[in-house]
Amino acid sequence: MAAVANRGYYYTPHIVKKIKGELLDKKFRTKHVTTIDKKYFEPVINGMFDVYNKGTAFGLGVAGIDICGKTGTAENYLKVNGKRVKLQDHSIFVAFAPKDDPKIAIAVFVENGYWGKRWAGPITTLMIEKYLRRKITKVDFEKRMLEGSLKDQYSKLYPRKHQDSIGLINSRLKDSIAKERIKNDSIGNKEKKLIKLDSTRIKSRKQ
C-alpha cells in the first residue's frame, strides 16, 4: 500500500518504540523503488479515491481528509472431517491518506468479519483520522466497533472447552501484565528513594 501511496517506492516496514539521539538501522532508511513507471500509479490512486467517494467504501469518509482505499472480501473455507465447509468471509481493507501528500498507509484484516466495509473499513477510517488529527469525529463508527462482536462467528470454530481455555489464558495474561506493572512501579519508586538519599548525603558532605 505504501508503494502505491508514494507512487512507486517504499521503506521496509518496522516498529520503533522510541529513539533518542540515534539513527534507525540503514536497512529501514533505504528507499526501495519498484520497476513500475510512476505514471501508472495515478489511475490506480484516482480509482481508490473514487472507492471512498462513490464506490464500495462510500459513507466511510471523513470530511476534510482525502482517503484512497479498497475494500476486500476473502472467502473462508475449512476442511472438517474431510469435508470442505464454508465459514463466514474475512473482512479486508487497505487505504492511505491524504491522497496527494500521504502520511499513513494501512491494511486491516478482520477474520470472519463478513465483507470489507462492515468491519475492516470503519476500523481503517478511525485509525487514519486518529493518526492525522489526533481525535475521532466518526463517533458512531467508534461506538459500533467498540461495542460490536464477532464472538458468535468464532464460537462456530472452537468447541466450548477450547473457548474456556482461551479465556483462561487471556485472564492469566492480563494478571501477568498487571503484576509486571506493579513490579516496575515498585522498582521505580525504590530508585527514586535511592537517588534522593544519595542527594541528601552529598549535600551533607558539602556542608
Side-chain angles (χ1 to χ4, degrees), residues 1 48 51-52 55-58 60-61 67-74 90-96 105-110 115-126 128:
M1 195 74 272
M48 293 178 70
V51 167
Y52 256 94
T56 52
F58 181 75
L60 295 183
I67 307 177
C68 299
K70 180 68 183 76
T71 56
T73 305
H90 300 313
S91 174
I92 306 170
F93 203 94
V94 295
F96 68 87
I106 186 170
V108 176
F109 186 102
V110 181
W115 55 88
K117 187 178 179 180
R118 181 160 175 170
W119 282 92
I123 291 172
T124 300
T125 294
L126 288 169
I128 286 176

mmCIF file of all heavy atoms in Angstrom, residues 1 48 51-52 55-58 60-61 67-74 90-96 105-110 115-126 128:
data_model
loop_
_atom_site.group_PDB
_atom_site.id
_atom_site.type_symbol
_atom_site.label_atom_id
_atom_site.label_comp_id
_atom_site.label_asym_id
_atom_site.label_seq_id
_atom_site.Cartn_x
_atom_site.Cartn_y
_atom_site.Cartn_z
ATOM 1 N N MET A 1 0.824 -1.202 0.000
ATOM 2 C CA MET A 1 0.000 0.000 0.000
ATOM 3 C C MET A 1 0.868 1.266 0.000
ATOM 4 O O MET A 1 0.549 2.263 -0.636
ATOM 5 C CB MET A 1 -0.908 -0.012 1.238
ATOM 6 C CG MET A 1 -2.042 0.977 1.177
ATOM 7 S SD MET A 1 -3.346 0.478 0.047
ATOM 8 C CE MET A 1 -2.821 1.132 -1.507
ATOM 9 N N MET A 48 -8.894 4.449 -6.404
ATOM 10 C CA MET A 48 -9.021 4.217 -4.971
ATOM 11 C C MET A 48 -9.675 5.401 -4.268
ATOM 12 O O MET A 48 -10.389 5.235 -3.269
ATOM 13 C CB MET A 48 -7.639 3.944 -4.370
ATOM 14 C CG MET A 48 -7.016 2.638 -4.841
ATOM 15 S SD MET A 48 -5.358 2.348 -4.157
ATOM 16 C CE MET A 48 -5.771 2.031 -2.439
ATOM 17 N N VAL A 51 -13.312 5.004 -4.718
ATOM 18 C CA VAL A 51 -13.888 3.959 -3.861
ATOM 19 C C VAL A 51 -14.526 4.590 -2.628
ATOM 20 O O VAL A 51 -15.615 4.202 -2.206
ATOM 21 C CB VAL A 51 -12.793 2.946 -3.430
ATOM 22 C CG1 VAL A 51 -13.299 2.053 -2.293
ATOM 23 C CG2 VAL A 51 -12.371 2.087 -4.609
ATOM 24 N N TYR A 52 -13.857 5.599 -2.068
ATOM 25 C CA TYR A 52 -14.363 6.277 -0.874
ATOM 26 C C TYR A 52 -15.495 7.258 -1.198
ATOM 27 O O TYR A 52 -16.369 7.504 -0.373
ATOM 28 C CB TYR A 52 -13.232 7.039 -0.183
ATOM 29 C CG TYR A 52 -12.716 6.363 1.069
ATOM 30 C CD1 TYR A 52 -11.619 5.503 1.017
ATOM 31 C CD2 TYR A 52 -13.322 6.572 2.302
ATOM 32 C CE1 TYR A 52 -11.144 4.877 2.160
ATOM 33 C CE2 TYR A 52 -12.859 5.950 3.445
ATOM 34 C CZ TYR A 52 -11.769 5.106 3.371
ATOM 35 O OH TYR A 52 -11.301 4.480 4.501
ATOM 36 N N GLY A 55 -17.820 4.641 -4.443
ATOM 37 C CA GLY A 55 -17.703 3.199 -4.650
ATOM 38 C C GLY A 55 -18.104 2.374 -3.443
ATOM 39 O O GLY A 55 -18.982 2.779 -2.667
ATOM 40 N N THR A 56 -17.456 1.240 -3.252
ATOM 41 C CA THR A 56 -17.835 0.292 -2.205
ATOM 42 C C THR A 56 -17.536 0.789 -0.789
ATOM 43 O O THR A 56 -18.000 0.197 0.186
ATOM 44 C CB THR A 56 -17.111 -1.049 -2.411
ATOM 45 O OG1 THR A 56 -15.698 -0.805 -2.554
ATOM 46 C CG2 THR A 56 -17.625 -1.762 -3.655
ATOM 47 N N ALA A 57 -16.759 1.866 -0.657
ATOM 48 C CA ALA A 57 -16.479 2.429 0.665
ATOM 49 C C ALA A 57 -17.204 3.751 0.883
ATOM 50 O O ALA A 57 -16.895 4.495 1.823
ATOM 51 C CB ALA A 57 -14.977 2.634 0.842
ATOM 52 N N PHE A 58 -18.182 4.039 0.025
ATOM 53 C CA PHE A 58 -18.938 5.293 0.159
ATOM 54 C C PHE A 58 -19.594 5.338 1.544
ATOM 55 O O PHE A 58 -20.214 4.382 1.991
ATOM 56 C CB PHE A 58 -20.012 5.395 -0.924
ATOM 57 C CG PHE A 58 -20.813 6.665 -0.851
ATOM 58 C CD1 PHE A 58 -20.280 7.868 -1.269
ATOM 59 C CD2 PHE A 58 -22.111 6.655 -0.344
ATOM 60 C CE1 PHE A 58 -21.018 9.045 -1.204
ATOM 61 C CE2 PHE A 58 -22.855 7.822 -0.263
ATOM 62 C CZ PHE A 58 -22.314 9.018 -0.694
ATOM 63 N N LEU A 60 -17.798 5.947 4.299
ATOM 64 C CA LEU A 60 -16.764 5.722 5.311
ATOM 65 C C LEU A 60 -15.809 6.909 5.444
ATOM 66 O O LEU A 60 -14.958 6.922 6.328
ATOM 67 C CB LEU A 60 -15.939 4.472 4.969
ATOM 68 C CG LEU A 60 -16.650 3.118 4.975
ATOM 69 C CD1 LEU A 60 -15.644 2.004 4.681
ATOM 70 C CD2 LEU A 60 -17.333 2.863 6.310
ATOM 71 N N GLY A 61 -15.954 7.887 4.566
ATOM 72 C CA GLY A 61 -15.011 9.004 4.538
ATOM 73 C C GLY A 61 -15.105 9.942 5.725
ATOM 74 O O GLY A 61 -16.059 9.918 6.502
ATOM 75 N N ILE A 67 -9.116 10.355 1.422
ATOM 76 C CA ILE A 67 -8.639 8.993 1.663
ATOM 77 C C ILE A 67 -8.812 8.147 0.405
ATOM 78 O O ILE A 67 -9.826 8.225 -0.277
ATOM 79 C CB ILE A 67 -9.420 8.332 2.819
ATOM 80 C CG1 ILE A 67 -9.403 9.225 4.065
ATOM 81 C CG2 ILE A 67 -8.839 6.970 3.149
ATOM 82 C CD1 ILE A 67 -10.222 8.675 5.221
ATOM 83 N N CYS A 68 -7.813 7.349 0.114
ATOM 84 C CA CYS A 68 -7.881 6.402 -1.003
ATOM 85 C C CYS A 68 -7.895 4.995 -0.408
ATOM 86 O O CYS A 68 -7.085 4.688 0.476
ATOM 87 C CB CYS A 68 -6.666 6.554 -1.913
ATOM 88 S SG CYS A 68 -6.501 8.187 -2.658
ATOM 89 N N GLY A 69 -8.807 4.158 -0.878
ATOM 90 C CA GLY A 69 -8.891 2.830 -0.274
ATOM 91 C C GLY A 69 -9.435 1.778 -1.206
ATOM 92 O O GLY A 69 -9.835 2.057 -2.336
ATOM 93 N N LYS A 70 -9.470 0.555 -0.707
ATOM 94 C CA LYS A 70 -10.015 -0.568 -1.468
ATOM 95 C C LYS A 70 -10.595 -1.589 -0.499
ATOM 96 O O LYS A 70 -9.902 -2.047 0.405
ATOM 97 C CB LYS A 70 -8.928 -1.227 -2.323
ATOM 98 C CG LYS A 70 -9.442 -2.410 -3.144
ATOM 99 C CD LYS A 70 -10.403 -1.956 -4.220
ATOM 100 C CE LYS A 70 -10.979 -3.130 -5.014
ATOM 101 N NZ LYS A 70 -12.027 -3.860 -4.258
ATOM 102 N N THR A 71 -11.866 -1.903 -0.705
ATOM 103 C CA THR A 71 -12.494 -2.928 0.116
ATOM 104 C C THR A 71 -12.101 -4.307 -0.399
ATOM 105 O O THR A 71 -11.752 -4.473 -1.567
ATOM 106 C CB THR A 71 -14.033 -2.809 0.074
ATOM 107 O OG1 THR A 71 -14.452 -2.860 -1.297
ATOM 108 C CG2 THR A 71 -14.515 -1.518 0.693
ATOM 109 N N GLY A 72 -12.176 -5.276 0.493
ATOM 110 C CA GLY A 72 -11.860 -6.638 0.091
ATOM 111 C C GLY A 72 -12.643 -7.649 0.911
ATOM 112 O O GLY A 72 -12.899 -7.431 2.096
ATOM 113 N N THR A 73 -13.048 -8.739 0.269
ATOM 114 C CA THR A 73 -13.749 -9.823 0.951
ATOM 115 C C THR A 73 -13.107 -11.139 0.531
ATOM 116 O O THR A 73 -13.063 -11.454 -0.657
ATOM 117 C CB THR A 73 -15.248 -9.840 0.578
ATOM 118 O OG1 THR A 73 -15.819 -8.551 0.858
ATOM 119 C CG2 THR A 73 -15.996 -10.911 1.368
ATOM 120 N N ALA A 74 -12.570 -11.873 1.503
ATOM 121 C CA ALA A 74 -11.897 -13.128 1.196
ATOM 122 C C ALA A 74 -12.763 -14.312 1.630
ATOM 123 O O ALA A 74 -13.200 -14.385 2.773
ATOM 124 C CB ALA A 74 -10.550 -13.189 1.907
ATOM 125 N N HIS A 90 -13.842 -13.258 5.361
ATOM 126 C CA HIS A 90 -12.974 -12.325 6.081
ATOM 127 C C HIS A 90 -13.171 -10.909 5.526
ATOM 128 O O HIS A 90 -13.406 -10.720 4.328
ATOM 129 C CB HIS A 90 -11.506 -12.713 5.925
ATOM 130 C CG HIS A 90 -11.184 -14.079 6.445
ATOM 131 N ND1 HIS A 90 -11.616 -14.527 7.677
ATOM 132 C CD2 HIS A 90 -10.468 -15.095 5.900
ATOM 133 C CE1 HIS A 90 -11.172 -15.756 7.871
ATOM 134 N NE2 HIS A 90 -10.486 -16.132 6.802
ATOM 135 N N SER A 91 -13.061 -9.931 6.403
ATOM 136 C CA SER A 91 -13.206 -8.522 6.034
ATOM 137 C C SER A 91 -11.813 -7.905 5.869
ATOM 138 O O SER A 91 -10.994 -7.959 6.779
ATOM 139 C CB SER A 91 -13.983 -7.778 7.129
ATOM 140 O OG SER A 91 -14.032 -6.391 6.865
ATOM 141 N N ILE A 92 -11.569 -7.306 4.680
ATOM 142 C CA ILE A 92 -10.251 -6.739 4.381
ATOM 143 C C ILE A 92 -10.398 -5.305 3.864
ATOM 144 O O ILE A 92 -11.341 -4.990 3.135
ATOM 145 C CB ILE A 92 -9.513 -7.581 3.322
ATOM 146 C CG1 ILE A 92 -9.452 -9.047 3.751
ATOM 147 C CG2 ILE A 92 -8.115 -7.038 3.066
ATOM 148 C CD1 ILE A 92 -8.963 -9.977 2.662
ATOM 149 N N PHE A 93 -9.454 -4.460 4.241
ATOM 150 C CA PHE A 93 -9.479 -3.086 3.741
ATOM 151 C C PHE A 93 -8.059 -2.527 3.740
ATOM 152 O O PHE A 93 -7.308 -2.703 4.700
ATOM 153 C CB PHE A 93 -10.357 -2.206 4.632
ATOM 154 C CG PHE A 93 -10.880 -0.979 3.942
ATOM 155 C CD1 PHE A 93 -12.129 -0.978 3.344
ATOM 156 C CD2 PHE A 93 -10.119 0.173 3.872
ATOM 157 C CE1 PHE A 93 -12.614 0.155 2.698
ATOM 158 C CE2 PHE A 93 -10.594 1.302 3.230
ATOM 159 C CZ PHE A 93 -11.847 1.293 2.636
ATOM 160 N N VAL A 94 -7.686 -1.867 2.640
ATOM 161 C CA VAL A 94 -6.393 -1.179 2.554
ATOM 162 C C VAL A 94 -6.651 0.271 2.176
ATOM 163 O O VAL A 94 -7.603 0.572 1.453
ATOM 164 C CB VAL A 94 -5.451 -1.833 1.520
ATOM 165 C CG1 VAL A 94 -5.082 -3.241 1.956
ATOM 166 C CG2 VAL A 94 -6.076 -1.849 0.128
ATOM 167 N N ALA A 95 -5.819 1.172 2.683
ATOM 168 C CA ALA A 95 -6.042 2.596 2.394
ATOM 169 C C ALA A 95 -4.792 3.415 2.706
ATOM 170 O O ALA A 95 -3.869 2.943 3.384
ATOM 171 C CB ALA A 95 -7.220 3.126 3.208
ATOM 172 N N PHE A 96 -4.795 4.658 2.217
ATOM 173 C CA PHE A 96 -3.764 5.614 2.594
ATOM 174 C C PHE A 96 -4.361 7.013 2.522
ATOM 175 O O PHE A 96 -5.389 7.243 1.880
ATOM 176 C CB PHE A 96 -2.519 5.494 1.696
ATOM 177 C CG PHE A 96 -2.727 5.914 0.264
ATOM 178 C CD1 PHE A 96 -2.580 7.240 -0.124
ATOM 179 C CD2 PHE A 96 -3.055 4.977 -0.706
ATOM 180 C CE1 PHE A 96 -2.752 7.625 -1.449
ATOM 181 C CE2 PHE A 96 -3.230 5.346 -2.031
ATOM 182 C CZ PHE A 96 -3.086 6.669 -2.404
ATOM 183 N N ALA A 105 -0.275 4.781 5.556
ATOM 184 C CA ALA A 105 -0.783 3.691 4.708
ATOM 185 C C ALA A 105 -1.093 2.536 5.647
ATOM 186 O O ALA A 105 -0.324 2.243 6.565
ATOM 187 C CB ALA A 105 0.270 3.271 3.677
ATOM 188 N N ILE A 106 -2.224 1.898 5.426
ATOM 189 C CA ILE A 106 -2.675 0.900 6.390
ATOM 190 C C ILE A 106 -3.415 -0.250 5.720
ATOM 191 O O ILE A 106 -4.056 -0.062 4.680
ATOM 192 C CB ILE A 106 -3.580 1.582 7.452
ATOM 193 C CG1 ILE A 106 -3.969 0.616 8.564
ATOM 194 C CG2 ILE A 106 -4.809 2.185 6.812
ATOM 195 C CD1 ILE A 106 -4.653 1.308 9.736
ATOM 196 N N ALA A 107 -3.312 -1.425 6.314
ATOM 197 C CA ALA A 107 -4.059 -2.601 5.849
ATOM 198 C C ALA A 107 -4.707 -3.247 7.076
ATOM 199 O O ALA A 107 -4.041 -3.462 8.088
ATOM 200 C CB ALA A 107 -3.133 -3.587 5.158
ATOM 201 N N VAL A 108 -5.996 -3.525 6.990
ATOM 202 C CA VAL A 108 -6.733 -4.130 8.110
ATOM 203 C C VAL A 108 -7.389 -5.430 7.654
ATOM 204 O O VAL A 108 -8.020 -5.484 6.601
ATOM 205 C CB VAL A 108 -7.820 -3.166 8.646
ATOM 206 C CG1 VAL A 108 -8.639 -3.840 9.745
ATOM 207 C CG2 VAL A 108 -7.174 -1.888 9.173
ATOM 208 N N PHE A 109 -7.203 -6.473 8.439
ATOM 209 C CA PHE A 109 -7.770 -7.795 8.140
ATOM 210 C C PHE A 109 -8.531 -8.276 9.372
ATOM 211 O O PHE A 109 -7.962 -8.398 10.451
ATOM 212 C CB PHE A 109 -6.641 -8.777 7.797
ATOM 213 C CG PHE A 109 -7.114 -10.130 7.335
ATOM 214 C CD1 PHE A 109 -7.100 -10.456 5.983
ATOM 215 C CD2 PHE A 109 -7.559 -11.078 8.244
ATOM 216 C CE1 PHE A 109 -7.529 -11.708 5.551
ATOM 217 C CE2 PHE A 109 -7.984 -12.337 7.823
ATOM 218 C CZ PHE A 109 -7.973 -12.646 6.474
ATOM 219 N N VAL A 110 -9.826 -8.514 9.218
ATOM 220 C CA VAL A 110 -10.657 -8.992 10.330
ATOM 221 C C VAL A 110 -11.199 -10.374 9.975
ATOM 222 O O VAL A 110 -12.014 -10.510 9.058
ATOM 223 C CB VAL A 110 -11.830 -8.030 10.627
ATOM 224 C CG1 VAL A 110 -12.660 -8.552 11.804
ATOM 225 C CG2 VAL A 110 -11.304 -6.630 10.922
ATOM 226 N N TRP A 115 -17.654 -8.724 5.212
ATOM 227 C CA TRP A 115 -17.123 -8.103 3.987
ATOM 228 C C TRP A 115 -16.334 -6.845 4.366
ATOM 229 O O TRP A 115 -16.402 -6.358 5.505
ATOM 230 C CB TRP A 115 -18.254 -7.756 3.008
ATOM 231 C CG TRP A 115 -19.332 -6.891 3.578
ATOM 232 C CD1 TRP A 115 -19.356 -5.526 3.610
ATOM 233 C CD2 TRP A 115 -20.547 -7.320 4.211
ATOM 234 N NE1 TRP A 115 -20.495 -5.069 4.218
ATOM 235 C CE2 TRP A 115 -21.251 -6.154 4.592
ATOM 236 C CE3 TRP A 115 -21.111 -8.567 4.484
ATOM 237 C CZ2 TRP A 115 -22.484 -6.211 5.245
ATOM 238 C CZ3 TRP A 115 -22.342 -8.609 5.136
ATOM 239 C CH2 TRP A 115 -23.016 -7.447 5.500
ATOM 240 N N GLY A 116 -15.588 -6.310 3.387
ATOM 241 C CA GLY A 116 -14.667 -5.210 3.656
ATOM 242 C C GLY A 116 -15.228 -4.011 4.374
ATOM 243 O O GLY A 116 -14.626 -3.494 5.315
ATOM 244 N N LYS A 117 -16.383 -3.547 3.957
ATOM 245 C CA LYS A 117 -16.937 -2.314 4.505
ATOM 246 C C LYS A 117 -17.529 -2.491 5.902
ATOM 247 O O LYS A 117 -17.677 -1.526 6.643
ATOM 248 C CB LYS A 117 -18.015 -1.779 3.554
ATOM 249 C CG LYS A 117 -18.557 -0.404 3.930
ATOM 250 C CD LYS A 117 -19.587 0.080 2.921
ATOM 251 C CE LYS A 117 -20.143 1.441 3.316
ATOM 252 N NZ LYS A 117 -21.145 1.944 2.343
ATOM 253 N N ARG A 118 -17.847 -3.721 6.263
ATOM 254 C CA ARG A 118 -18.555 -3.934 7.530
ATOM 255 C C ARG A 118 -17.677 -3.742 8.773
ATOM 256 O O ARG A 118 -18.094 -3.115 9.745
ATOM 257 C CB ARG A 118 -19.175 -5.324 7.540
ATOM 258 C CG ARG A 118 -19.958 -5.623 8.814
ATOM 259 C CD ARG A 118 -20.920 -6.746 8.621
ATOM 260 N NE ARG A 118 -21.584 -7.106 9.871
ATOM 261 C CZ ARG A 118 -22.616 -7.934 9.956
ATOM 262 N NH1 ARG A 118 -23.110 -8.483 8.854
ATOM 263 N NH2 ARG A 118 -23.164 -8.220 11.124
ATOM 264 N N TRP A 119 -16.457 -4.304 8.752
ATOM 265 C CA TRP A 119 -15.582 -4.189 9.916
ATOM 266 C C TRP A 119 -14.238 -3.524 9.593
ATOM 267 O O TRP A 119 -13.868 -2.535 10.230
ATOM 268 C CB TRP A 119 -15.314 -5.584 10.514
ATOM 269 C CG TRP A 119 -16.452 -6.100 11.338
ATOM 270 C CD1 TRP A 119 -17.496 -6.886 10.903
ATOM 271 C CD2 TRP A 119 -16.693 -5.853 12.716
ATOM 272 N NE1 TRP A 119 -18.352 -7.148 11.936
ATOM 273 C CE2 TRP A 119 -17.884 -6.532 13.067
ATOM 274 C CE3 TRP A 119 -16.015 -5.146 13.704
ATOM 275 C CZ2 TRP A 119 -18.414 -6.508 14.357
ATOM 276 C CZ3 TRP A 119 -16.530 -5.116 14.990
ATOM 277 C CH2 TRP A 119 -17.712 -5.790 15.308
ATOM 278 N N ALA A 120 -13.517 -4.059 8.634
ATOM 279 C CA ALA A 120 -12.184 -3.536 8.330
ATOM 280 C C ALA A 120 -12.224 -2.085 7.854
ATOM 281 O O ALA A 120 -11.350 -1.291 8.205
ATOM 282 C CB ALA A 120 -11.501 -4.419 7.289
ATOM 283 N N GLY A 121 -13.239 -1.729 7.069
ATOM 284 C CA GLY A 121 -13.364 -0.367 6.554
ATOM 285 C C GLY A 121 -13.482 0.690 7.636
ATOM 286 O O GLY A 121 -12.697 1.645 7.685
ATOM 287 N N PRO A 122 -14.466 0.557 8.540
ATOM 288 C CA PRO A 122 -14.596 1.541 9.618
ATOM 289 C C PRO A 122 -13.357 1.619 10.514
ATOM 290 O O PRO A 122 -12.956 2.707 10.933
ATOM 291 C CB PRO A 122 -15.808 1.022 10.409
ATOM 292 C CG PRO A 122 -16.618 0.285 9.403
ATOM 293 C CD PRO A 122 -15.605 -0.376 8.511
ATOM 294 N N ILE A 123 -12.750 0.469 10.804
ATOM 295 C CA ILE A 123 -11.537 0.461 11.631
ATOM 296 C C ILE A 123 -10.426 1.257 10.942
ATOM 297 O O ILE A 123 -9.727 2.055 11.568
ATOM 298 C CB ILE A 123 -11.072 -0.986 11.895
ATOM 299 C CG1 ILE A 123 -12.067 -1.696 12.827
ATOM 300 C CG2 ILE A 123 -9.672 -0.998 12.516
ATOM 301 C CD1 ILE A 123 -11.813 -3.173 12.988
ATOM 302 N N THR A 124 -10.293 1.050 9.635
ATOM 303 C CA THR A 124 -9.284 1.777 8.855
ATOM 304 C C THR A 124 -9.512 3.276 8.924
ATOM 305 O O THR A 124 -8.585 4.056 9.172
ATOM 306 C CB THR A 124 -9.312 1.313 7.382
ATOM 307 O OG1 THR A 124 -9.044 -0.083 7.321
ATOM 308 C CG2 THR A 124 -8.281 2.068 6.554
ATOM 309 N N THR A 125 -10.755 3.694 8.694
ATOM 310 C CA THR A 125 -11.096 5.117 8.726
ATOM 311 C C THR A 125 -10.794 5.727 10.093
ATOM 312 O O THR A 125 -10.214 6.819 10.187
ATOM 313 C CB THR A 125 -12.590 5.315 8.406
ATOM 314 O OG1 THR A 125 -12.830 4.930 7.043
ATOM 315 C CG2 THR A 125 -13.001 6.775 8.579
ATOM 316 N N LEU A 126 -11.165 5.038 11.155
ATOM 317 C CA LEU A 126 -10.925 5.540 12.509
ATOM 318 C C LEU A 126 -9.434 5.701 12.788
ATOM 319 O O LEU A 126 -9.001 6.703 13.371
ATOM 320 C CB LEU A 126 -11.535 4.579 13.536
ATOM 321 C CG LEU A 126 -13.072 4.569 13.611
ATOM 322 C CD1 LEU A 126 -13.552 3.392 14.456
ATOM 323 C CD2 LEU A 126 -13.591 5.877 14.184
ATOM 324 N N ILE A 128 -6.995 6.107 10.593
ATOM 325 C CA ILE A 128 -6.441 7.183 9.764
ATOM 326 C C ILE A 128 -6.760 8.545 10.371
ATOM 327 O O ILE A 128 -5.878 9.403 10.502
ATOM 328 C CB ILE A 128 -6.985 7.090 8.323
ATOM 329 C CG1 ILE A 128 -6.323 5.926 7.583
ATOM 330 C CG2 ILE A 128 -6.738 8.401 7.561
ATOM 331 C CD1 ILE A 128 -6.865 5.683 6.187
#
